[in-house]
Amino acid sequence: RLTQQEADPIGGITAAPIVTVGAVLAFATAVVLTWAHWSEVSSPLAALLAVVLVGAGGATAAVSALPGRAPFTAERLWLVVTLAVGAAITEYVSTVGANRYLYDDFGPIVIGMLILSVAPFCTWLSLLLAGVLSAAVLSILVAGASDYTAAQAPIGALIVVSIAPVIAMSAAAAGYSYAIVAETLAWQREANRAALQRDAELRAGIARSVQQSRVSVLGREVLPFLAGVMTADRISVADADRARELAEALRRALRAGIESTWLDDLAANVRASRG
């Protein structure tokens, strides 16, 4: 249910130019193929409108993917796909009755390119669904144009060949979205696991440091003092002052352990290892 933009916002920002490149390529493809089969065009106005719709779909995708307009919602995907499918329908209208060769129609290629270009911003399921629904519409258009084509092939074969670009690019977009999100989440889990392990090691190091401070104070000064006091006949004022000094030393050791942070421990490690 996640997109690359949601799982990796920085990656979503860097992927925004890809949408612009895809939109430009889709528009250029529509212009070139329209010019290439201009002899089959029976309605120039519809042909020009189809190219305009492709440009509108590409511009919508490019603007919607800008970082300032994040996040890229599912509604934007369907708007882009609707404009691209509308361009395919308009192209069909522009060549109705004269479209002898289906391979030079730009509808399937343009729809697939726009779906593929917005892959970093959509879930794999929405991309796949967009491709399937677009292919269904294209199948209807191919069935309507099959009576005028020069190819003597079954309608099923014509449909499969015509929708292949949409299915292939949509599947590629869905596969990319699924794989990149899965890889990003796996990397994040591994990073979190390493961070928790590092935090546990730092806490253990702090605990050992506090314990060593206590042991050093106890072993070096407190225990000998207690042994001397226990064997003495009388407790002097100096002994009482010394007891207060040792108690203060213990309190300082405890306070240093409590107030110590991971940053203090890291700084101590760096100072010890690198000077």
Side-chain angles (χ1 to χ4, degrees):
R1 297 184 180 182
L2 291 178
T3 66
Q4 180 185 355
Q5 185 182 53
E6 294 169 338
D8 180 19
I10 301 299
I13 293 175
T14 58
I18 298 177
V19 183
T20 302
V21 173
V24 172
L25 290 177
F27 182 77
T29 300
V31 172
V32 171
L33 291 182
T34 299
W35 176 81
H37 71 184
W38 190 256
S39 59
E40 300 176 353
V41 173
S42 57
S43 174
L45 181 61
L48 294 177
L49 180 59
V51 174
V52 170
L53 288 175
V54 173
T60 301
V63 172
S64 299
L66 292 176
R69 297 184 177 274
F72 191 101
T73 60
E75 288 77 9
R76 300 178 187 181
L77 169 65
W78 292 114
L79 177 59
V80 172
V81 173
T82 299
L83 290 172
V85 172
I89 295 174
T90 309
E91 182 193 24
Y92 168 79
V93 172
S94 70
T95 59
V96 64
N99 191 9
R100 303 183 67 248
Y101 303 101
L102 299 178
Y103 63 83
D104 56 1
D105 293 346
F106 65 74
I109 300 176
V110 166
I111 296 173
M113 291 176 67
L114 290 179
I115 292 177
L116 184 60
S117 66
V118 297
F121 306 92
C122 304
T123 64
W124 70 270
L125 186 59
S126 62
L127 293 167
L128 201 59
L129 183 60
V132 170
L133 294 179
S134 301
V137 175
L138 291 174
S139 300
I140 298 174
L141 299 181
V142 173
S146 61
D147 294 335
Y148 310 102
T149 59
Q152 301 298 320
I155 296 179
L158 294 176
I159 291 176
V160 170
V161 172
S162 297
I163 68 174
V166 176
I167 296 299
M169 293 187 188
S170 300
Y176 169 84
S177 179
Y178 181 87
I180 197 67
V181 170
E183 288 292 330
T184 301
L185 294 180
W187 178 86
Q188 291 176 351
R189 285 193 294 269
E190 188 62 30
N192 290 335
R193 188 180 299 111
L196 291 174
Q197 182 179 359
R198 175 61 177 166
D199 183 68
E201 292 174 354
L202 289 174
R203 290 179 182 274
I206 293 173
R208 286 194 300 268
S209 176
V210 174
Q211 185 177 11
Q212 290 170 359
S213 299
R214 298 174 187 168
V215 171
S216 63
V217 173
L218 287 171
R220 189 174 61 249
E221 300 180 7
V222 175
L223 293 180
F225 173 75
L226 290 177
V229 169
M230 291 177 65
T231 57
D233 295 332
R234 303 180 64 181
I235 303 298
S236 64
V237 175
D239 292 334
D241 293 338
R242 181 60 177 161
R244 280 192 291 271
E245 292 176 1
L246 293 175
E248 182 60 29
L250 282 174
R251 278 194 294 270
R252 284 198 300 269
L254 291 173
R255 190 181 309 114
I258 293 173
E259 295 177 352
S260 178
T261 65
W262 66 270
L263 187 59
D264 297 323
D265 187 64
L266 179 61
N269 291 338
V270 172
R271 184 169 61 250
S273 61
R274 303 184 184 180

